[in-house]
Amino acid sequence: MTPHQVFTVAVIGGATALLTPLVLAGLAAALYLAVARVVDIREARRERRRDLTTCNAIDALGTNQPDR
């Protein structure tokens, strides 16, 4: 191999060594944000269902007021 080819291979290897952790960190951050968003959405849905269940239970109690 010529010195130019060796240098090119070394540059490619160095760039790969530098970019790989950055790409992996970016993917990890994106995955974390996606999972956090799904968890937040599920928690909000669970809270709305709980509120709806409470409202339905209160509505089912009725009132003790006489009919007019």
Side-chain angles (χ1 to χ4, degrees), residues 11-22:
V11 168
I12 291 171
T16 302
L18 290 175
L19 291 178
T20 300
L22 294 175

Side-chain angles (χ1 to χ4, degrees), residues 3-4 8 12 18 29 38 41 47 54-56 58 61 66:
H4 182 68
T8 303
I12 291 171
L18 290 175
V38 168
I41 289 170
E47 185 67 30
T54 302
C55 290
N56 287 338
I58 291 170
L61 290 175

Side-chain angles (χ1 to χ4, degrees), residues 3-56:
H4 182 68
Q5 290 172 330
V6 171
F7 179 73
T8 303
V9 170
V11 168
I12 291 171
T16 302
L18 290 175
L19 291 178
T20 300
L22 294 175
V23 169
L24 291 178
L27 289 174
L31 181 62
Y32 174 80
L33 291 174
V35 169
R37 185 174 178 124
V38 168
V39 168
D40 289 343
I41 289 170
R42 288 194 68 215
E43 191 63 34
R45 183 172 182 260
R46 182 177 296 151
E47 185 67 30
R48 283 193 310 271
R49 282 191 4 230
R50 186 177 4 206
D51 290 344
L52 180 61
T53 303
T54 302
C55 290
N56 287 338

